[in-house]
Amino acid sequence: MTESPARPRSASEIAAQAHRRRTFAVISHPDAGKSTLTEALALHAEVIDSAGAVHGKAGRKGVTSDWMEMERARGISITSAVLQFSYRDHVINLLDTPGHGDFSEDTYRVLAAVDAAVMLLDASKGLEAQTLKLFDVCRSRKIPVLTFVNKWDVPGREALELLDEVEQTIGLRPMPVTWPVGIAGDLRGVVECATGEMRRYTRTAGGATKGEVEVLDPDRAAAEEPLYLETVVDELELLREIGAEFDEDDYLAGTATPVLFGAARHGVGVGRLLDALVDLAPAPAPRPDADGTPRQLDTPLSGLVFKVQAGMDRSHRDRTAFLRINSGRFERGMVLTHAGSGKPFATKYAQAVFGQQRTTLEEAFPGDIVGLVNAGALRPGDTLYAEDPVEFPAIPSFAPEFFAVVRAKDAGRYKQFRRGISQLDSEGVIQVLRSDRRGDQAPVLAAVGPLQFEVVTARLADEFSAPVTLEQLNYNVARLTDEAGAEILNKESDTEVLHRSVDGALLAVFVNKWRMETIRRKHSDVMMEPLLAGA
Ligand code: GDP
């Protein structure tokens, strides 16, 4: 017997399903503990039974395809995994972001697909460079931010000092939800700021196993935990005096951040973070289309492609597009329309992607991420919809700061080379620029960070059997211009105008800001607009 065809769902069911979703990403500086926290969250929600099943990092188990060897060797995460688990009758979608700044364009795209973010801080380091950059993206996209102060089990900084840093540096009012009992390095547990109730943790040795929790009411905490009486009571009082009280509206408006403390490696505070996500983080809401009109959740299916990835399964040479559902109910087998081209897109091979593992996915709701296999025609920023046409705003490209000419080492492999470049371009791995002057054999690659070149070089050799040489160019500033501008700017020395393949934009590139400014003064009527600030 075949399964029954699409069961139409009521608007209220779609709304109820959307209401259960929490779709978020963790923003942090490398080494703050993002992978550890991701695993701990998944462990806590009891979807996996051992740490390491999520990421393929060195020393942990996990499946990686060959070109991911590079990220393993470097201990960085280039590919983003999407994790889905259920917790307290909610569905949590955790979108992983690459930690390294050179891949911040990928991170930006991921942040286009979330409703909330967790800002993860290392207790001994506080706000670090990469976190600040990613926070700026959250602010510009109006993504509400929860803060998790990690590694409280090892000596670090004072809690109040960290809060002060958050307020002073990024102007976000910290609102502690929990407070550590014990100084950094001697963590006894965390206390609920609102009630004074303490969660005491019994640490489990070694890896990311679930911390044992014992809940103590304030009297018992005071009686049994000397540090509770000596410091926490006063500190909570102080917090009240300095106006750190909780206000959900301020959190949602992006002017304040709830703060939680813990130690991901020992599972401490991780369950509390999940609770905060469920209780505080916003569920998917209607998303504005390119004209600013919100796409209501219960309208027919629509979604945004925020990531395209190839080579996840080498035996199939697959290419997966990750679609964030913005409205409606997704059902495998639906035929969607690609907003850019108007072409149909069949979804027979929709998958749920869990780390490196895939399972066939039958249905999905707003906030969920669907992996679409064989997605040759899709690129980041594309909209897919059913029935009722819509197009979501494009995801802007970053301003590249590194440029290199790429050539096939072996002229006989030009066909493979061309195919590879076009594939990497449409995945959004790198920006590909061309000009008549340089010709098709020698396109210019433009990157936000130089590691992107390494990825391209490795993948061209590995997946496309097209080893390449790179010749770095001396440019490091790009501006948008138009045809008239191109004609003028191309006559200037140390400057050229290139065509970006992905969107047809004309990019004028300059050796440095100083030279760019000189040219701008000389041709004040020429269009020279900044691109979105990059890494
Ligand atoms: P990522 O680069 O942000 O993904 O960081 P990882 O999750 O790989 O963690 C970086 C290092 O910090 C690893 O050695 C972790 O074991 C360690 N780490 C993560 N969380 C904690 C924690 O709560 N306490 C301590 N002491 N170390 C942690």
Side-chain angles (χ1 to χ4, degrees):
M1 212 180 87
T2 51
E3 269 182 43
S4 60
R7 275 176 299 152
R9 298 294 175 101
S10 67
S12 63
E13 184 187 351
I14 292 170
Q17 288 286 358
H19 193 69
R20 292 173 61 213
R21 263 65 183 174
R22 297 293 181 273
T23 302
F24 77 105
V26 176
I27 58 168
S28 61
H29 195 81
D31 266 357
K34 181 159 61 74
S35 310
T36 309
L37 178 67
T38 302
E39 285 165 9
L41 285 167
L43 254 170
H44 199 93
E46 290 173 346
V47 282
I48 51 171
D49 56 8
S50 68
V54 177
H55 288 253
K57 277 202 166 185
R60 304 175 192 173
K61 63 183 155 108
V63 191
T64 56
S65 69
D66 284 358
W67 74 270
M68 292 175 198
E69 283 299 326
M70 189 180 130
E71 64 179 2
R72 255 214 302 213
R74 289 177 168 274
I76 54 172
S77 163
I78 296 168
T79 49
S80 293
V82 182
L83 302 180
Q84 187 182 60
F85 43 84
S86 58
Y87 181 75
R88 279 179 41 195
D89 199 37
H90 283 67
V91 178
I92 315 278
N93 294 304
L94 168 50
L95 279 56
D96 193 13
T97 52
H100 198 287
D102 284 11
F103 304 105
S104 50
E105 188 152 24
D106 287 336
T107 304
Y108 193 90
R109 294 179 186 136
V110 170
L111 292 175
V114 301
D115 302 310
V118 169
M119 179 164 78
L120 177 68
L121 306 181
D122 179 324
S124 66
K125 303 211 171 114
L127 286 169
E128 296 177 87
Q130 182 67 7
T131 322
L132 288 172
K133 283 173 193 156
L134 295 172
F135 173 76
D136 280 343
V137 177
C138 291
R139 171 168 278 164
S140 71
R141 299 201 69 99
K142 299 190 165 46
I143 299 168
V145 173
L146 279 163
T147 300
F148 186 80
V149 181
N150 190 30
K151 305 197 190 181
W152 207 261
D153 58 313
V154 287
R157 288 162 56 183
E158 295 271 343
L160 282 167
E161 185 194 322
L162 285 165
L163 298 194
D164 197 46
E165 183 178 85
V166 168
E167 179 138 41
Q168 299 301 324
T169 313
I170 56 180
L172 210 52
R173 184 171 69 84
M175 309 183 292
V177 172
T178 61
W179 195 251
V181 182
I183 52 163
D186 181 20
L187 178 63
R188 307 285 309 161
V190 292
V191 63
E192 277 303 307
C193 294
T195 61
E197 190 177 77
M198 176 176 169
R199 287 168 176 229
R200 183 160 63 186
Y201 290 89
T202 317
R203 261 167 54 175
T204 37
T209 42
K210 211 167 161 175
E212 293 290 319
V213 190
E214 199 183 352
V215 180
L216 313 183
D217 64 35
D219 290 341
R220 194 172 149 213
E224 292 180 19
E225 291 292 333
L227 281 171
Y228 185 95
L229 255 191
E230 281 165 30
T231 58
V232 175
V233 173
D234 287 350
E235 283 169 343
L236 292 187
E237 182 57 36
L238 181 67
L239 290 174
R240 270 189 286 274
E241 278 166 22
I242 60 178
E245 75 281 357
F246 188 78
D247 183 322
E248 189 170 355
D249 291 342
D250 288 354
Y251 159 59
L252 294 175
T255 57
T257 180
V259 182
L260 297 98
F261 291 82
R265 194 158 84 185
H266 305 287
V268 174
V270 171
R272 187 63 189 83
L273 177 62
L274 275 173
D275 287 333
L277 279 162
V278 166
D279 296 335
L280 305 175
R287 295 204 149 207
D289 68 11
D291 300 326
T293 311
R295 174 80 170 191
Q296 296 307 321
L297 296 173
D298 58 2
T299 51
L301 189 100
S302 68
L304 177 77
V305 175
F306 64 95
K307 182 180 175 63
V308 175
Q309 187 168 314
M312 289 180 85
D313 177 354
R314 274 179 63 73
S315 58
H316 292 99
R317 232 183 218 298
D318 67 339
R319 181 162 165 186
T320 303
F322 294 88
L323 181 77
R324 138 106 199 196
I325 307 293
N326 284 348
S327 70
R329 169 177 175 262
F330 174 86
E331 186 175 5
R332 190 169 68 84
M334 279 177 126
V335 177
L336 303 176
T337 303
H338 178 243
S341 66
K343 287 189 180 149
F345 185 90
T347 61
K348 192 169 159 204
Y349 299 106
Q351 291 183 328
V353 182
F354 180 76
Q356 306 288 345
Q357 300 161 27
R358 317 304 197 75
T359 51
T360 299
L361 174 138
E362 297 300 339
E363 67 170 4
F365 291 95
D368 288 344
I369 309 303
V370 177
L372 298 169
V373 191
N374 296 338
L378 301 180
R379 56 182 66 198
D382 283 358
T383 297
L384 292 175
Y385 66 81
E387 295 164 51
D388 190 3
V390 64
E391 185 152 19
F392 295 105
I395 306 175
S397 288
F398 271 28
E401 291 176 21
F402 299 86
F403 301 85
V405 178
V406 59
R407 293 184 181 87
K409 254 188 196 155
D410 174 358
R413 308 204 66 82
Y414 177 63
K415 228 174 74 189
Q416 288 88 336
F417 167 78
R418 208 176 50 184
R419 201 156 49 87
I421 293 285
S422 124
Q423 157 97 37
L424 299 180
D425 187 17
S426 60
E427 276 178 46
V429 173
I430 200 139
Q431 299 180 29
V432 179
L433 312 178
R434 297 175 200 274
S435 68
D436 291 344
R437 196 160 102 195
R438 292 187 177 274
D440 253 8
Q441 312 256 350
V444 172
L445 302 182
V448 173
L451 273 179
Q452 284 176 267
F453 292 138
E454 286 191 38
V455 172
V456 167
T457 308
R459 288 190 58 187
L460 284 170
D462 184 40
E463 283 169 44
F464 299 91
S465 310
V468 294
T469 55
L470 284 186
E471 176 204 339
Q472 295 264 356
L473 296 173
N474 197 20
Y475 304 122
N476 64 34
V477 181
R479 287 289 182 269
L480 278 177
T481 188
D482 54 12
E483 292 286 351
E487 203 159 306
I488 293 165
L489 295 173
N490 263 327
K491 292 190 188 118
E492 290 291 337
S493 59
D494 298 337
T495 296
E496 67 180 282
V497 178
L498 298 147
H499 217 263
R500 185 159 64 191
S501 320
V502 70
D503 57 1
L506 284 169
L507 262 58
V509 291
F510 307 89
V511 287
N512 53 39
K513 283 216 165 75
W514 179 82
R515 178 80 184 123
M516 189 266 297
E517 287 299 343
T518 309
I519 293 176
R520 195 217 298 276
R521 277 197 296 275
K522 189 165 152 196
H523 305 289
S524 54
D525 50 342
V526 162
M527 174 180 167
M528 281 168 65
E529 281 178 11
L531 291 97
L532 186 72

